[in-house]
Amino acid sequence: MTKHVYTFGGDRNEGNASMRNLLGGKGCNLAEMAGLGIPVPPGFTVTTDVCTLYNQAGKQLPADVVEQIKEALKWLEGNQGRTLGNAEKPLLLSVRSGARDSMPGMMDTVLNLGLNDATVEGLAKASNNPRFAYDSYRRFIMMYSDVVLDVHKDHFEEKIEELKHKTGKKLDTEITAEEWKQLCGEFKAIVKAKLGRDFPQDPWEQLLGGIRAVFNSWDTERAIIYRRMNKIPDEWGTAVNVQTMVFGNMGDDCGTGVAFTRDPGTGEPYFYGEYLINAQGEDVVAGIRTPQPITKYQAADSGLKSLEEVMPDVYKELYDTCQKLEKHFKNMQDLEFTIQQGRLYMLQTRNGKRTALAGIRIALDMVKEGMIDEQEGLKRLNADDLTQLLAPIFDAKEKAAFKKAGKMMAKGLPAGPGAAVGLIALSAEEAVALAEKEESLDPSKRKGVVLVRIETSPEDLAGMVAAKGILTARGGMTSHAAVVARGMGKPCVCGASSLVIDVAKRTVSVGDIVLKAGEDFISIDGSAGEIYAGKLSAFPSEVNQVLVEKTLKPEASETFQRFAQIMEWSNKYRALKVRTNADTPHDAAVARAFGAQGIGLCRTEHMFFEDERIPAVREFILAKDEEARKAAVIKLLPYQRKDFEGIFTAMNGLPVTVRLLDPPLHEFVPHDEKGQAEMAKVLGVTIEEVKHRVEKLHEFNPMMGHRGCRLGITYPELIRMQMRAIAEAAINVSKQGVKAMPEVMVPLIGTVKELKFTKDQMLDEIAAVNKENGTDFMCPIGTMIEIPRAAITADKVAEEAEFFSFGTNDLTQMGFGYSRDDSGSFLPEYVSKKILEDDPFQSLDQEGIGELVRIACEKGRKTRPDIKLGVCGEHGGDPRSVKFFHRTGLAYVSCSPYRVPVAILAAAQAVLEEKK
Ligand code: ADP
Ligand code: MG
Ligand code: MG
């Protein structure tokens, strides 16, 4: 018989932290805490396997599972001395979700299950507190209806608002027992009206309904979006935890809260949290009442009363418990607790979500504190997070000027660090629509969107994804908005209570500053919690200021020091080299400052596009014969040579892989009447001639047309000019003591003969340059591998190629047969329908395209054992792909300058992950 149900707490603790896959994160940690002697209300966990069984059975609980639930319940009743449904001593339960990886707020919870018209009376009598009993009952009816019966909680909230309005009361805590009782009646009537049947009074039916609903919540849209964003497999399923209730809503010696062992926003090593007196469950995160700080330190001069002051003994116990758990799990913990009549109960612990910056700080601090070693510290980091250390921040001077001009609208909580600017969107739909409208624009022209809400709920997820930043008027550091924004790495300001959001008038205002949604800019500083009317400009990060701009001293920036520490450790372990894709001396210098060990891809086409050069390029394109083409192309030589001199100088002593011209020529000619007329004038030809040539360049499928090495095969003078520019530039800068190390690669070859032809031209040109200068310049000549045919004939290709550089963008395009420029219309659906795991242009398809890479490496090495192998597609900056390239034995990856640190860390993690 398979065990489907595991008890925790009391005298039968069947699980522990190692059983995460089976019991889910919440369930296994409840058992672990109970095992450590920490007060946890007992209960039982229905395993994640049951979630799968349940779905396979068409959303039915298998009979043996129901039997085991009954048995566990019996044990629990015995343990508590209470019985489910018993009118005098009712056992009340919570039914909680709990996946392997926490998905905060994504799935459902039901509290106070077991209450009905009879047991609520029993509870009132036994507790001698009818107010508490009816408060619990109305919560239960509302939650159960919302989660299980699909009657939205808004219907109930409306009733509460009505009552408050009628009685002039503001807070839930002011509502009396009688009033709650009356509301319970109204709530039940709502359910009856909506469903045509009574609210279920049978606690056993309630329990099974609750368990089923939690399993169902695994497949809600928001849970699915969240999983996709966080790469959590759909097959994992959730567990269900059924737990004895403890009550934070019994009076002023009760409360509930959440805590972090370190600040999840900044990573500072301070105990941190929020709580509410006389409250239950979600009250703290729901933003209904503004929560109070836990520590005196946090309360500082806010005038709020901290738990440390209000209940010093409970505080002390909480603090000690949290520290114990952090030491035990060797990680920052995010904890949930409830205080019932002065007694502390722990309801959850997990490794806390944190901002990128906090994650980095906490990992490094824990190494310093000796809690973990440096290898573990590196493994803990999320390589992508490093981009946030490099992300822009607002210019302090401009901020000061805005403040002075009265344009700082409000202050809220710094819930997610970073700077965000954009147009105001007042709903998730609006944010999505605004962002979609901008997608077609050039990135430099996009305005961005900031989602501004009173508070967010899981339904806002799509809008949060679309927005650059999130601003809420209500809610604390642990509110939904804050937690989700931090998870997404988005700037977020919460609880800016002075903001007036008028959805009807579509305005956001404070005093006489009034901003219009969809029209006006708002700027939020998620590190400082500040909100500005208008558009602030962003400023380079501290790491940039130290390394690139050199305007900040390393010792003045802790952020920089952390960055440097991570790079230092990573460099110790990694085997892969990291180069950059850069076409300008500036980009090359930035990347070098970030640690790039050369250029893996220097595209030459941008050098053709600049204003003063484009006429010569067009003259070349229009030329009627070889002579005319030669005359045109030679005009480009001085420009191209100068570009290379700049780049070789910036990369002095490091390799620079230059790619010969790649794009189809039609990209260089104007397609509009006006441009064509101008081109005709500059070149002294008729507009008809221009039109004719442009028409001739038209291709049905330019990505598979006349481009790459095919250009040089039809127009050898083009590659000869490029080769000459490279050789002469190298010779010139070497006279200034610069060590130029060009490597030249031929793009888009499918057969070795294409390479051979091109290479012969190049060698010939090099010989000519050497002869003219009396030099002996030489450089490695290799090829890109980006056509499947080249990959599978790599043994032949290697006869001519001294190195391979995998162009994984084109290799993906050609390997799948997906046009990268047109895949937007179907790839997202492929991912959502799980035809593909991921967008293969973002993360390498290891199974197919990766196999082409592997075959090419193997075959290439067979012909030329010391062949140098690298990658220059976008995938060079994607951590998962980088790890694959490491395992495949490549020598280097190349990526855009701002991803160089990401690749460096991922390369080190690849080595450390192999070790275990
Ligand atoms: P989530 O996964 O969304 O955090 P939880 O299952 O942790 O949902 O439940 C949310 C909140 O409900 C908890 O933080 C806690 O305050 C309350 N809660 C859950 N179970 C109990 C319980 N047995 N007794 C008292 N409160 C509970
Ligand atoms: Mg929780
Ligand atoms: Mg290519």
Side-chain angles (χ1 to χ4, degrees):
M1 193 188 72
T2 318
K3 191 166 169 60
H4 295 302
V5 176
Y6 289 75
T7 56
F8 58 81
D11 56 356
R12 209 172 114 187
N13 197 41
E14 296 179 335
N16 61 57
S18 72
M19 297 163 77
R20 169 174 293 268
N21 294 357
L22 191 63
L23 302 182
K26 198 179 286 165
C28 79
N29 279 355
L30 283 168
E32 184 79 10
M33 284 197 287
L36 290 169
I38 289 167
V40 170
F44 55 87
T45 305
V46 187
T47 67
T48 55
D49 287 348
V50 175
C51 190
T52 312
L53 293 175
Y54 172 80
N55 281 319
Q56 281 166 355
K59 309 223 176 265
Q60 293 290 325
L61 284 173
D64 58 332
V65 174
V66 175
E67 275 318 302
Q68 292 186 31
I69 291 172
K70 257 187 205 148
E71 192 276 326
L73 179 64
K74 195 157 262 142
W75 162 76
L76 192 58
E77 287 174 336
N79 176 280
Q80 292 293 308
R82 297 172 171 275
T83 315
L84 190 67
N86 181 298
E88 264 116 60
K89 282 189 146 190
L91 176 65
L92 299 188
L93 301 170
S94 67
V95 178
R96 319 171 63 189
S97 61
R100 262 195 230 185
D101 267 10
S102 81
M103 297 169 53
M106 289 301 132
M107 287 181 298
D108 293 323
T109 303
V110 179
L111 302 181
N112 309 324
L113 188 142
L115 282 176
N116 58 24
D117 295 349
T119 52
V120 69
E121 279 300 325
L123 186 67
K125 246 187 244 131
S127 62
N128 200 15
N129 189 344
R131 188 195 173 279
F132 148 70
Y134 280 96
D135 176 41
S136 302
Y137 194 26
R138 64 92 189 177
R139 288 172 190 269
F140 171 58
I141 301 173
M142 185 160 143
M143 277 181 140
Y144 194 87
S145 302
D146 188 59
V147 170
V148 186
L149 307 177
D150 222 12
V151 180
H152 201 278
K153 60 174 178 295
D154 285 354
H155 299 299
F156 307 100
E157 260 158 15
E158 245 166 53
K159 288 277 171 209
I160 302 179
E161 286 309 312
E162 246 171 54
L163 179 107
K164 283 184 186 164
H165 190 75
K166 247 190 345 228
T167 54
K169 292 181 176 169
K170 284 216 175 63
L171 296 176
D172 287 0
T173 40
E174 294 166 350
I175 296 175
T176 64
E178 267 314 305
E179 287 163 341
W180 281 134
K181 186 171 177 179
Q182 180 203 328
L183 277 175
C184 286
E186 290 174 25
F187 282 13
K188 282 183 290 178
I190 293 174
V191 174
K192 178 115 199 213
K194 294 263 166 216
L195 301 180
R197 61 188 151 90
D198 285 319
F199 183 83
Q201 292 285 318
D202 174 4
W204 173 246
E205 183 197 329
Q206 292 173 353
L207 179 58
L208 292 185
I211 292 173
R212 275 198 299 268
V214 170
F215 283 140
N216 290 340
S217 72
W218 177 252
D219 279 331
T220 57
E221 194 183 326
R222 65 184 198 233
I224 293 170
I225 297 178
Y226 184 91
R227 285 204 292 276
R228 210 166 301 140
M229 258 172 28
N230 293 280
K231 305 220 177 301
I232 297 175
D234 292 334
E235 307 79 70
W236 280 6
T238 180
V240 182
N241 301 291
V242 176
Q243 188 175 25
T244 311
M245 281 300 299
V246 286
F247 298 98
N249 56 335
M250 286 178 106
D252 287 344
D253 55 352
C254 303
T256 179
V258 295
F260 290 89
T261 52
R262 301 178 192 231
D263 188 319
T266 63
E268 283 176 286
Y270 299 121
F271 188 46
Y272 183 91
E274 291 170 333
Y275 80 106
L276 279 173
I277 288 287
N278 197 10
Q280 188 175 56
E282 313 279 58
D283 292 1
V284 177
V285 288
I288 296 165
R289 277 157 65 194
T290 299
Q292 312 273 104
I294 286 195
T295 66
K296 271 194 227 162
Y297 176 79
Q298 245 179 290
D301 17 67
S302 65
L304 298 172
K305 276 261 178 275
S306 69
L307 184 69
E308 193 172 358
E309 291 153 290
V310 178
M311 298 185 186
D313 294 342
V314 176
Y315 171 79
K316 173 102 187 24
E317 193 188 345
L318 176 68
Y319 177 81
D320 291 344
T321 306
C322 294
Q323 295 307 310
K324 179 172 171 180
L325 285 167
E326 180 180 283
K327 289 215 175 70
H328 182 72
F329 288 106
K330 297 191 186 347
N331 207 327
M332 186 266 273
Q333 296 298 296
D334 165 357
L335 310 110
E336 296 173 5
F337 61 90
T338 283
I339 303 159
Q340 177 176 328
Q341 297 174 315
R343 272 205 66 186
L344 175 73
Y345 294 92
M346 299 309 292
L347 291 174
Q348 189 171 343
T349 188
R350 64 183 162 207
N351 294 340
K353 302 243 179 234
R354 57 204 82 179
T355 62
L357 299 187
I360 289 165
R361 169 151 189 188
I362 289 170
L364 296 183
D365 281 354
M366 286 188 167
V367 175
K368 229 187 279 166
E369 291 162 21
M371 200 181 279
I372 55 177
D373 64 16
E374 110 196 359
Q375 299 190 12
E376 177 61 26
L378 281 180
K379 281 202 274 187
R380 290 263 176 101
L381 297 171
N382 179 2
D384 276 325
D385 286 352
L386 290 183
T387 55
Q388 290 206 32
L389 285 184
L390 310 178
I393 49 184
F394 286 135
D395 173 13
K397 283 211 197 90
E398 201 185 0
K399 277 209 312 191
F402 264 56
K403 272 184 200 160
K404 220 163 152 198
K407 286 200 269 187
M408 186 170 124
M409 291 181 83
K411 269 199 97 151
L413 300 167
V421 191
L423 298 177
I424 295 169
L426 294 182
S427 69
E429 297 77 53
E430 193 181 355
V432 170
L434 278 174
E436 268 173 9
K437 228 168 61 194
E438 296 216 306
E439 240 164 52
S440 59
L441 298 178
D442 184 78
S444 65
K445 299 218 174 70
R446 293 181 195 158
K447 294 174 177 158
V449 183
V450 174
L451 179 63
V452 184
R453 303 276 291 153
I454 295 187
E455 67 205 16
T456 65
S457 73
E459 279 121 64
D460 292 321
L461 201 59
M464 298 174 81
V465 173
K468 294 262 174 272
I470 294 137
L471 168 60
T472 67
R474 266 198 252 166
M477 290 290 280
T478 53
S479 66
H480 176 265
V483 172
V484 177
R486 283 199 292 269
M488 296 197 258
K490 299 221 168 170
C492 177
V493 176
C494 277
S497 50
S498 58
L499 281 190
V500 180
I501 302 174
D502 189 328
V503 179
K505 288 208 193 108
R506 301 194 30 78
T507 56
V508 175
S509 59
V510 173
D512 48 9
I513 308 180
V514 182
L515 301 180
K516 278 217 76 89
E519 292 171 28
D520 291 330
F521 279 101
I522 198 162
S523 302
I524 61 169
D525 183 335
S527 313
E530 294 164 349
I531 301 147
Y532 297 87
K535 190 176 171 184
L536 277 168
S537 31
F539 199 63
S541 68
E542 288 187 12
V543 175
N544 267 55
Q545 293 179 43
V546 173
L547 289 176
V548 182
E549 322 237 314
K550 307 211 165 35
T551 49
L552 186 66
K553 292 224 164 62
E555 53 284 8
S557 167
E558 284 185 23
T559 308
F560 169 75
Q561 287 164 31
R562 290 190 192 109
F563 173 81
Q565 177 70 268
I566 294 166
M567 290 297 103
E568 186 198 317
W569 287 342
S570 299
N571 290 337
K572 229 162 57 184
Y573 297 106
R574 73 189 162 107
L576 268 180
K577 294 212 157 151
V578 176
R579 297 194 192 179
T580 191
N581 302 344
D583 322 334
T584 64
H586 173 77
D587 283 0
V590 169
R592 189 170 188 167
F594 291 158
Q597 295 162 290
I599 291 181
L601 174 63
C602 174
R603 300 177 175 90
T604 48
E605 43 269 24
H606 92 272
M607 305 173 175
F608 282 48
F609 274 115
E610 278 171 35
D611 279 352
E612 40 180 5
R613 313 170 180 195
I614 195 91
V617 176
R618 291 173 174 175
E619 189 183 329
F620 168 82
I621 294 171
L622 263 169
K624 293 201 181 66
D625 53 30
E626 196 185 324
E627 275 320 297
R629 272 199 302 274
K630 274 189 185 157
V633 89
I634 217 68
K635 291 187 190 162
L636 289 168
L637 177 67
Y639 296 120
Q640 189 118 82
R641 191 171 50 216
K642 201 159 149 270
D643 289 329
F644 288 129
E645 287 171 2
I647 290 173
F648 295 158
T649 306
M651 295 310 275
N652 184 4
L654 295 176
V656 174
T657 310
V658 179
R659 177 178 73 184
L660 298 180
L661 193 68
D662 185 51
L665 294 181
H666 79 104
E667 286 188 12
F668 299 100
V669 296
H671 293 269
D672 59 315
E673 186 89 16
K674 192 167 153 251
Q676 291 177 346
E678 253 168 52
M679 177 168 166
K681 206 168 120 206
V682 174
L683 300 177
V685 296
T686 65
I687 186 161
E688 279 66 39
E689 265 181 274
V690 173
K691 274 196 178 145
H692 180 67
R693 185 68 185 121
V694 170
E695 267 161 37
K696 271 187 73 180
L697 284 174
H698 170 79
E699 291 178 314
F700 286 104
N701 200 342
M703 279 301 107
M704 298 174 86
H706 196 183
R707 59 173 284 227
C709 67
R710 300 157 204 173
L711 291 170
I713 290 171
T714 27
Y715 308 126
E717 52 280 3
L718 189 64
I719 41 174
R720 281 179 171 262
M721 181 279 289
Q722 292 204 294
M723 191 62 242
R724 174 173 284 269
I726 294 165
E728 290 181 353
I731 292 166
N732 288 351
V733 297
S734 70
K735 287 181 194 143
Q736 267 108 58
V738 171
K739 189 171 175 209
M741 299 175 64
E743 302 174 340
V744 185
M745 62 185 180
V746 181
L748 218 71
I749 69 134
T751 127
V752 65
K753 289 198 181 138
E754 289 172 307
L755 176 60
K756 172 89 170 75
F757 179 92
T758 311
K759 188 174 159 189
D760 286 347
Q761 304 287 329
M762 293 158 75
L763 291 174
D764 209 45
E765 197 66 25
I766 292 174
V769 172
N770 278 333
K771 198 159 158 215
E772 288 158 30
N773 293 278
T775 48
D776 58 353
F777 169 82
M778 193 28 92
C779 68
I781 294 176
T783 185
M784 295 190 66
I785 300 285
E786 47 190 345
I787 290 186
R789 192 186 189 286
I792 57 181
T793 58
D795 46 346
K796 302 231 170 61
V797 176
E799 283 165 15
E800 295 296 333
E802 288 172 71
F803 64 88
F804 289 167
S805 175
F806 291 94
T808 51
N809 303 345
D810 265 314
L811 195 58
T812 300
Q813 172 161 264
M814 312 265 185
F816 271 104
Y818 299 156
S819 155
R820 184 149 65 122
D821 303 308
D822 303 315
S823 60
S825 55
F826 60 89
L827 265 189
E829 215 161 312
Y830 268 46
V831 176
S832 70
K833 293 193 169 139
K834 290 193 260 172
I835 310 275
L836 293 174
E837 254 325 276
D838 289 293
D839 177 343
F841 292 107
Q842 275 168 26
S843 195
L844 187 83
D845 160 53
Q846 300 183 8
E847 181 183 42
I849 307 303
E851 183 65 6
L852 286 171
V853 173
R854 204 193 53 72
I855 291 170
C857 290
E858 195 180 291
K859 289 194 148 185
R861 283 203 188 96
K862 219 180 261 165
T863 305
R864 200 186 280 262
D866 62 342
I867 189 165
K868 197 187 289 168
L869 303 165
V871 166
C872 68
E874 290 303 311
H875 299 104
D878 168 61
R880 278 197 297 162
S881 310
V882 169
K883 289 174 189 174
F884 171 81
F885 296 133
H886 167 82
R887 293 196 299 271
T888 312
L890 299 191
Y892 69 86
V893 295
S894 187
C895 56
S896 60
Y898 279 80
R899 298 210 64 94
V900 164
V902 174
I904 288 177
L905 172 56
Q909 290 176 330
V911 174
L912 297 174
E913 281 165 20
E914 265 174 351
K915 276 190 178 174
K916 62 170 180 207

